[in-house]
Amino acid sequence: MGPNSKALKQKLSQDTEREFGGTLGAVCIPFFLPLTVLFLICVSRSPEASVLQWPPQLPSTDQLWDPLAPVILLGWIGLHTLLYFMPFGKVSEGLTLRDGTRLQYPINGFHSLCASSVLLVLLLGLGVPIGYLFELLLPLAASAIAASFLLSIYLYVRSFWAPYHALALGGNTGNPLYDFFIGRELNPRIGNFDLKYMCELRPGLIGWVVINLGMLMKEVELRGSPSLAMILVNSFQLLYVADALWNEEAVLSTMDIVHDGFGFMLVFGDLAWVPFTYSLQAAFLVGHPQALTLLKAAAIVALNGIGYYIFRKSNSQKNQFRRDPTHPSVAGLETIATAMGKRLLVSGWWGFVRHPNYLGDLLMALAWSLPCGKMLPSSFAKSKKCYHL
């Protein structure tokens, strides 16, 4: 190891700012977040559906295991690993790394969504009970949590064979608990297979759509047809996922890809948090049917549309500026310099509010939740029926 390598190692280890409460957060978050996922699923299925009920709703160990769950999870991840190498779509380069190189990424996430949709149609045509996902929610979540820990351990161990320039600036502190949580290696790859990029938008995000469909089919089993509220939730969230995958190239300029190491924080978020908490509205509606008038539905659709428009326009502007600040669409926008020497937009969409993309996100999230409304008086009795099927 030469003097330059030693200096770089020292800089990477020391020039870090610890986030999420440092070591304390790195210990507590991996413990409490999995419990939070399981707790929220239980709450969504309980008659009261209240996070304030006491004692808190937590599953028994028997409810967390079904031999079918890990098989489905591993099969699903395996499917999207194969689809990652599907020869469709273009190949795009990421932003320049510290060593001056640029990694290549296949832009075929939307194709993976389409292939997954075709597979689901075939399964439905063959009479596969997709609605059984409702009963498997807890075992699937438990399997995803276990897979997150196992993958995070693998990523942490393999990071010690990565060159120093491949480590994330914030994940090489020398504190094993914190580095395991944040992630030491920036872009862990097996050959051309980028683990972080594959997990970022594919198995979890598309899995969210599949879980939603399972909840819709469960409602069809129970009531003969999907409710308007369930249709709205499924449609809104399918639009969000399809948009993310259609604009997959934009993720290459996000903090997750450019700055954050791939550790437990991102692994758990991708594989467990997103699919099993973002689908809570649909899971809630299975046991707590809601009646929506056409006027209320129209207002909710309008709110989601406004949120989506703000979200998409502001994100597109930000991504274009990050990839090419000289592009005519962003070249005239005002910017300010940061302490790191980068430029931040302060005009255009980014002149209205500090984070217009978050504003759009919040409006959409509100629209996703409004169909859940207030529980109908009879929903308690109906919901109890669901839990013992």
Side-chain angles (χ1 to χ4, degrees), residues 149-354:
F149 276 102
L150 291 174
L151 179 55
S152 300
I153 292 170
Y154 164 74
L155 291 167
Y156 180 74
V157 172
R158 65 159 278 157
S159 70
F160 289 95
W161 280 266
Y164 296 128
H165 64 76
L167 300 180
L169 288 176
N172 186 34
T173 66
N175 183 319
L177 294 173
Y178 183 80
D179 292 347
F180 167 83
F181 174 70
I182 292 293
R184 293 187 80 243
E185 194 172 357
L186 183 62
N187 303 111
R189 289 190 162 207
I190 301 174
N192 292 325
F193 181 53
D194 193 295
L195 294 167
K196 179 166 70 170
Y197 177 69
M198 198 282 286
C199 290
E200 181 76 11
L201 292 181
R202 304 189 185 213
L205 213 62
I206 301 176
W208 169 21
V209 171
V210 175
I211 291 173
N212 277 356
L213 177 63
M215 302 306 102
L216 184 147
M217 295 307 299
K218 185 63 181 180
E219 190 176 52
V220 171
E221 290 178 25
L222 294 172
R223 303 182 184 98
S225 63
S227 64
L228 179 56
M230 182 69 82
I231 291 172
L232 288 182
V233 167
N234 270 256
S235 300
F236 293 161
Q237 295 180 351
L238 175 60
L239 171 64
Y240 186 85
V241 171
D243 174 87
L245 293 166
W246 181 262
N247 295 282
E248 185 180 26
E249 191 173 9
V251 80
L252 301 182
S253 63
T254 61
M255 293 292 287
D256 284 3
I257 299 296
V258 175
H259 177 268
D260 296 335
F262 195 40
F264 180 83
M265 177 184 69
L266 285 182
V267 173
F268 177 82
D270 293 340
L271 300 183
W273 185 263
V274 166
F276 294 101
T277 64
Y278 286 27
S279 58
L280 284 171
Q281 290 97 340
F284 169 86
L285 288 171
V286 172
H288 309 86
Q290 304 296 311
L292 278 182
T293 66
L294 290 179
L295 181 60
K296 289 180 180 178
I300 294 171
V301 169
L303 177 63
N304 190 76
I306 293 170
Y308 174 74
Y309 181 80
I310 296 172
F311 170 81
R312 174 44 42 215
K313 285 293 186 179
S314 58
N315 266 325
S316 295
Q317 189 174 72
K318 176 189 68 174
N319 180 60
Q320 183 61 63
F321 179 77
R322 283 181 174 175
R323 297 193 70 86
D324 182 12
T326 64
H327 191 274
S329 64
V330 294
L333 296 178
E334 296 179 27
T335 63
I336 58 173
T338 68
M340 299 295 291
K342 297 181 179 181
R343 309 294 300 183
L344 292 179
L345 288 172
V346 291
S347 63
W349 281 100
W350 301 84
F352 292 113
V353 292
R354 185 174 181 180

Side-chain angles (χ1 to χ4, degrees), residues 84 128 176 319:
Y84 180 95
V128 175
N319 180 60

